């Protein structure tokens, strides 16, 4: 994309670059390069986020009154692009990008004062308790019960696919507070301290084989868990409205910078790999595939910029977040696939040991090879989490195209 930045914007870009060079350590970069899930050690995430917080940059989309930097759309774009280009850790979304906007919109003043400063400063790690065994796409069928008992609720049930629950201090949960009327009308949105007695977290190992304690997803069990009613966001039985609002933010994630980073990496690999006696990058069939990915990445970027400017003008992300989710997540997978293709035979050995944090085993093949296959497998998740792409297509058809 060709943008003429003003002198101030160029100065801002240089400041972002200098900040990254100073704070995103080589060690963290090396760990990220091996990570298949996008997560590395918890303390590394916290240290990076606290550095961003100290600089006042941790929450580009938060309003100034809650600690946002008050940036223009162009500054946000520069910031995101520079972070992605440098391959920095992504700030963990559950607190900053998911539950925080919900608390700002539906929380009481006490709840805002209690939760938002800790989210901003990365004093707490959140996880998301929406899906249940049997309730994923059909989320309104969820059965985890919260029954009033004095000033509390007693919660019983189970949540599944809960990302990084083993690291979380708090979980935001959808619970059933009524079985009367329409299913959507009996749901409430609760914030639960993960240390409350009666909560058990069990790891689920996915096909990338990342095991405890670094597993990506879990099942969380609630047995007679006592939760103050004061932890409910919004009115009782009005949690569906809150839940949908949060999903707009979850699905409207920024993909373009990451996609650009992925395309750049393939280009780099293709300059080193061989094909028909020459460089892979000079192979016309391969170059055409790479060019197609670049074009689509640019289209995703423009859609995101449109969304950013609408947000800047005070509009909601709305159903257009489903377009971003479908296109962005499909592109993540296409880039993973072309990375494996470019890496060729060296993508085949899947040696978990090489990828373990702190492993000092020599990889088979070049440094970019060992994570390629594991990432490819892990990326199957992208078209499922946050609501599967099939379901997003239905939302686009109904709410945008009016079909
Ligand atoms: C890696 C990963 C991390 C996740 N993290 C979290 C998390 O932190 N918190 C959380 O709450 N959830 C999380 N999820 C769960 C995720 O939101 C659900 O997996 C997703 O909503 C799909 O639900 P399901 O798995 O029950 O599949 P199902 O709903 O059973 O769907 C099975 C298949 O049927 C298709 N299908 C279902 N309904 C329709 C329809 N109406 N039209 C067309 N096709 C349909 C789906 O597209 C899918 O292909 C995560 C999932 C993954 C894979």
């Amino acid at each position: 994309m060709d943008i003429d930045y003003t002198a101030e914007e160029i100065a801002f870009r240089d400041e972002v670059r200098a900040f990254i060079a100073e704070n995103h350590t080589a060690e963290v970069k090396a760990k990220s390069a091996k990570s298949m899930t996008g997560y590395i050690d918890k303390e590394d995430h916290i240290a990076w986020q606290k550095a961003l917080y100290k600089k006042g940059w941790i929450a580009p989309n938060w309003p100034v009154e809650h600690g946002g930097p008050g940036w223009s759309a162009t500054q946000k774009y520069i910031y995101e692009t520079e972070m992605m280009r440098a391959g920095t850790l992504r700030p963990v979304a559950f607190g900053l990008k998911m539950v925080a906007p919900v608390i700002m919109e539906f929380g009481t003043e006490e709840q805002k004062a209690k939760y938002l400063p800790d989210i901003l400063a990365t004093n707490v790690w959140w996880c998301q308790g929406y899906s249940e065994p049997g309730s994923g796409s059909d989320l309104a069928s969820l059965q985890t019960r919260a029954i009033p008992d004095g000033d509390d609720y007693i919660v019983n049930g189970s949540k599944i696919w809960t990302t990084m629950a083993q690291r979380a201090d708090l979980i935001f949960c959808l619970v059933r507070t009524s079985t009367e009327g329409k299913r959507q009308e009996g749901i409430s949105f609760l914030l639960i301290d993960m240390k409350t007695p009666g909560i058990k977290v069990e790891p689920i190992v996915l096909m990338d084989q990342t095991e405890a304690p670094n597993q990506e997803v879990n099942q969380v069990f609630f047995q007679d868990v006592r939760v103050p009613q004061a932890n409910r966001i919004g009115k009782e039985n009005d949690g569906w409205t809150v839940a949908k609002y949060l999903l707009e933010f979850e699905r409207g994630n920024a993909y373009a910078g990451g996609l650009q980073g992925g395309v750049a990496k393939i280009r780099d690999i293709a300059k080193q790999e061989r094909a028909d006696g020459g460089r892979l990058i000079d192979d016309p069939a391969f170059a055409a595939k790479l060019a197609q990915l670049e074009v689509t990445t640019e289209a995703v970027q423009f859609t995101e910029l449109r969304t950013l400017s609408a947000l800047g003008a005070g509009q909601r992300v709305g159903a257009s977040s489903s377009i971003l989710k479908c296109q962005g997540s499909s592109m993540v997978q296409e880039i993973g696939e072309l990375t494996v293709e470019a890496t060729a035979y060296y993508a085949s050995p899947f040696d978990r040991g090489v990828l373990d944090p702190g492993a000092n085993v020599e990889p088979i093949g070049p440094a970019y090879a060992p994570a390629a296959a594991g990432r490819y497998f892990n990326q199957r998740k992208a078209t499922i989490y946050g609501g599967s792409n099939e379901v997003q297509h239905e939302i686009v058809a109904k709410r945008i195209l009016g079909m």
Side-chain angles (χ1 to χ4, degrees):
M1 188 173 175
D2 196 15
I3 290 180
D4 285 333
Y5 290 133
T6 63
E8 290 79 34
E9 285 161 353
I10 288 172
F12 176 68
R13 185 197 62 191
D14 292 345
E15 193 186 352
V16 176
R17 285 184 182 170
F19 176 85
I20 294 171
E22 209 170 301
N23 293 280
H24 202 261
T25 64
E27 191 196 345
V28 164
K29 223 175 159 179
K31 280 190 194 174
S32 297
K34 283 182 173 182
S35 166
M36 288 174 291
T37 59
Y39 292 98
I40 59 170
D41 294 332
K42 182 177 179 179
E43 53 272 25
D44 292 320
H45 285 276
I46 292 175
W48 170 237
Q49 291 191 198
K50 281 196 175 285
L52 287 168
Y53 165 68
K54 252 175 84 185
K55 182 79 178 161
W57 288 358
I58 184 69
N61 291 316
W62 281 31
V64 176
E65 59 171 306
H66 292 304
W71 285 338
S72 65
T74 312
Q75 279 179 299
K76 286 181 195 170
Y77 169 76
I78 291 172
Y79 174 80
E80 283 288 338
T81 310
E82 292 304 322
M83 291 288 167
M84 290 293 187
R85 208 170 263 162
T88 62
L89 284 176
R90 306 284 296 146
V92 178
F94 301 108
L96 286 160
K97 290 190 176 169
M98 289 160 73
V99 78
V102 154
I103 294 171
M104 287 176 207
E105 180 74 13
F106 299 98
T108 61
E109 290 310 312
E110 290 76 36
Q111 287 170 333
K112 288 178 196 170
K114 179 172 177 188
Y115 295 109
L116 294 177
D118 274 342
I119 296 175
L120 197 70
T122 314
N123 294 334
V124 284
W125 189 300
W126 287 80
C127 65
Q128 178 186 28
Y130 272 31
S131 308
E132 295 183 5
S135 301
S137 305
D138 185 17
L139 192 56
S141 68
L142 65 90
Q143 307 218 354
T144 294
R145 280 308 304 266
I147 295 178
D149 184 58
D151 288 340
D152 299 332
Y153 288 112
I154 306 293
V155 178
N156 277 286
S158 159
K159 295 290 171 181
I160 198 163
W161 312 121
T162 323
T163 302
M164 291 287 147
Q166 77 275 26
R167 293 183 177 180
D169 303 295
L170 287 144
I171 182 168
F172 52 88
C173 255
L174 295 179
V175 292
R176 182 155 301 287
T177 35
S178 168
T179 50
E180 309 280 308
K182 271 176 70 182
R183 297 178 311 169
Q184 286 83 349
E185 287 164 8
I187 292 171
S188 299
F189 191 100
L190 271 191
L191 311 181
I192 305 178
D193 185 331
M194 288 293 280
K195 285 187 280 304
T196 318
I199 298 182
K200 194 170 73 175
V201 176
E202 286 193 354
I204 301 172
V205 178
L206 301 179
M207 63 179 164
D208 62 21
Q209 292 175 27
T210 308
E211 292 174 349
N214 295 313
Q215 75 274 13
E216 186 167 8
V217 289
N218 304 271
Q219 185 162 4
V220 182
F221 298 90
F222 300 85
Q223 193 180 5
D224 296 327
V225 176
R226 190 167 278 278
V227 182
Q229 292 197 21
N231 289 18
R232 193 187 63 237
I233 303 288
K235 295 196 196 97
E236 189 171 80
N237 298 328
D238 203 17
W240 192 246
T241 312
V242 182
K244 283 193 301 183
Y245 184 77
L246 184 143
L247 284 173
E248 286 179 19
F249 289 90
E250 180 175 5
R251 292 171 182 158
N253 234 330
Y255 282 97
L259 300 178
Q260 282 170 336
V263 168
K265 193 165 162 211
I266 298 175
R267 184 178 296 288
D268 213 42
I269 295 173
K271 283 181 188 160
Q272 299 171 63
E273 292 287 333
R274 317 281 306 160
D276 289 336
R279 297 186 316 164
L280 180 61
I281 192 79
D282 299 322
D283 176 76
F286 187 86
K289 285 186 200 170
L290 191 55
Q292 182 59 55
L293 285 184
E294 273 186 301
V295 170
T296 320
T297 295
E298 206 153 298
V300 170
Q301 187 178 38
F302 277 103
T303 311
E304 281 180 12
L305 285 172
R306 249 195 355 255
T307 311
L308 256 184
S309 89
L311 272 176
Q315 292 167 21
R316 283 190 45 180
V317 189
S320 65
S321 60
S322 296
I323 301 177
L324 281 175
K325 205 275 163 170
C326 283
Q327 193 61 46
S329 57
S330 305
M331 287 290 297
V332 165
Q333 294 183 340
E334 284 176 38
I335 286 174
E337 204 174 317
L338 199 64
T339 307
V340 168
E341 188 182 322
T343 311
Y345 295 121
Y346 283 127
S348 300
F350 182 42
D351 184 355
R352 213 42 215 84
V354 175
L355 297 163
D356 281 336
N360 57 4
V361 190
E362 274 301 306
I364 303 166
Y368 50 75
R375 282 212 179 117
Y376 169 85
F377 290 129
N378 184 273
Q379 283 157 354
R380 301 308 95 200
K381 71 187 178 187
T383 48
I384 303 172
Y385 66 49
S388 76
N389 282 20
E390 289 80 8
V391 170
Q392 302 316 304
H393 284 139
E394 280 186 23
I395 293 173
V396 172
K398 277 192 199 139
R399 290 180 44 201
I400 297 181
L401 302 175
M403 292 163 77

